Amino acid sequence: TEHEEEYLTPEGASDYLGVSRRTLERYVKQGLIPRYRRGLSRIVFKRADLDRFLKVRPDQDVDQDDE
């Protein structure tokens, strides 16, 4: 549904941002991107939050885990 398309799984969110899951988790821990719990165990990200992050930090599309 259209409502479901507003949310991405962790895998989908990391792909959308062009970063690894590890980098996505680091952004969450740093408070840069909020995540939401749907149900007891399903973690999702709002596409609007990801778009906002990309506008503020457009240089973050390169995964920097290997530094």
Side-chain angles (χ1 to χ4, degrees):
T1 65
E2 184 177 332
H3 180 70
E4 285 295 319
E5 292 175 6
E6 295 176 2
Y7 294 91
L8 295 169
T9 64
E11 294 83 3
S14 61
D15 288 346
Y16 189 74
L17 294 176
V19 300
S20 69
R21 287 281 303 278
R22 183 174 150 194
T23 297
L24 178 65
E25 286 301 314
R26 187 168 65 235
Y27 292 162
V28 170
K29 287 178 183 176
Q30 291 173 345
L32 300 174
I33 299 175
R35 67 178 170 193
Y36 304 90
R37 191 174 298 277
R38 298 186 76 183
L40 294 175
S41 61
R42 185 172 175 218
I43 301 295
V44 294
F45 295 84
K46 288 185 180 179
R47 187 182 305 268
D49 291 333
L50 302 179
D51 288 337
R52 192 173 306 113
F53 175 78
L54 288 173
K55 286 180 184 175
V56 173
R57 298 173 68 111
D59 59 330
Q60 294 299 311
D61 61 342
V62 175
D63 199 333
Q64 299 177 1
D65 281 346
D66 295 328
E67 288 185 358

